[in-house]
Amino acid sequence: EAQVTQNPRYLITVTGKKLTVTCSQNMNHEYMSWYRQDPGLGLRQIYYSMNVEVTDKGDVPEGYKVSRKEKRNFPLILESPSPNQTSLYFCASSFTRGLTDTQYFGPGTRLTVL
Amino acid sequence: DAKTTQPPSMDCAEGRAANLPCNHSTISGNEYVYWYRQIHSQGPQYIIHGLKNNETNEMASLIITEDRKSSTLILPHATLRDTAVYYCIVYGGATNKLIFGTGTLLAVQP
């Protein structure tokens, strides 16, 4: 089944404790991205990757890192999480970032930073 | 900022057609209209997209006005499982990323 998976689905952590949220897709997509969703602010893009070893900042990259060493994986790293990073996170992928590319979203990761 | 305007909420009776409007008066010639939906904190789900012709797939129909300044998503026979937030997004050309606005919360009533 074609899908985007994220792990963990739920995470409660404390300020400053490094964490990684994994994202994997099995559709051989080149383009992957991370979004966060907060009440009243909608979905905002954090980082995106056009292909292996190519990443770039989205609208809200502060406090996050990403890497794209393999085509299928695009982990989101929070080196020193803070409470304002408490949010619902979504990973998405598409074949390319072309005019008509449909993005497929993962199920989401709900992160709470205490 | 989102380039679309949608009503914040709508109701629809189960089994009836749900017609969700969207205004995108500043759309440019090479930008597409996309519709996604999000069911209660799940990942957004692609529904349909179009450029200027009406489109239909197994989920919905998309009607785009001739001047392309507005569109309507039609769910022909709404079910309770169609209760979700529906996002109308203009994408492509100079707008090279999905910008989700606040969407329309569609509540399908039994």
Side-chain angles (χ1 to χ4, degrees):
Chain A
E1 179 188 354
Q3 60 183 346
V4 178
T5 57
Q6 297 178 225
N7 282 291
R9 295 289 314 281
Y10 302 90
L11 178 61
I12 300 174
T13 189
V14 295
T15 299
K17 186 176 181 181
K18 180 180 179 180
L19 67 91
T20 299
V21 183
T22 65
C23 173
S24 182
Q25 50 90 7
N26 62 0
M27 296 170 279
N28 202 35
H29 285 169
E30 291 183 349
Y31 180 83
M32 298 184 74
S33 64
W34 277 102
Y35 295 83
R36 61 177 289 174
Q37 185 173 32
D38 304 289
L41 296 176
L43 281 96
R44 294 177 292 168
Q45 191 179 57
I46 304 170
Y47 267 94
Y48 63 92
S49 169
M50 301 287 281
N51 212 328
V52 176
E53 302 291 0
V54 180
T55 64
D56 209 345
K57 297 177 181 178
D59 297 318
V60 288
E62 294 77 21
Y64 304 94
K65 285 176 58 178
V66 292
S67 69
R68 188 88 181 277
K69 293 182 170 53
E70 306 167 279
K71 199 171 189 178
R72 63 182 293 129
N73 297 323
F74 189 46
L76 179 69
I77 303 157
L78 285 72
E79 294 271 4
S80 182
S82 62
N84 64 11
Q85 293 178 299
T86 292
S87 187
L88 180 58
Y89 291 86
F90 292 103
C91 179
S93 72
S94 61
F95 275 109
T96 65
R97 200 169 67 168
L99 281 179
T100 62
D101 288 332
T102 299
Q103 288 202 31
Y104 296 85
F105 285 80
T109 295
R110 187 170 292 281
L111 172 65
T112 301
V113 183
L114 302 175
Chain B
D1 291 336
K3 297 178 64 175
T4 62
T5 303
Q6 300 177 252
S9 63
M10 293 181 65
D11 288 341
C12 177
E14 190 176 19
R16 305 297 291 268
N19 297 279
L20 290 90
C22 179
N23 288 320
H24 31 79
S25 58
T26 61
I27 192 170
S28 61
N30 59 354
E31 290 179 319
Y32 286 73
V33 180
Y34 272 74
W35 284 83
Y36 282 76
R37 73 180 183 183
Q38 186 174 24
I39 298 172
H40 188 57
S41 297
Q42 296 179 21
Q45 176 190 22
Y46 165 80
I47 301 173
I48 198 168
H49 74 278
L51 184 63
K52 51 186 175 181
N53 296 323
N54 297 338
E55 302 287 346
T56 296
N57 63 20
E58 65 278 3
M59 288 183 69
S61 295
L62 174 60
I63 308 298
I64 302 174
T65 58
E66 194 168 341
D67 63 8
R68 301 210 324 124
K69 292 185 177 182
S70 65
S71 60
T72 301
L73 177 75
I74 301 172
L75 307 178
H77 305 286
T79 70
L80 298 178
R81 287 178 293 181
D82 292 321
T83 292
V85 177
Y86 288 77
Y87 297 98
C88 170
I89 301 167
V90 168
Y91 176 66
T95 308
N96 58 4
K97 62 182 176 183
L98 291 176
I99 300 176
F100 288 81
T102 52
T104 295
L105 173 59
L106 175 69
V108 180
Q109 310 289 347

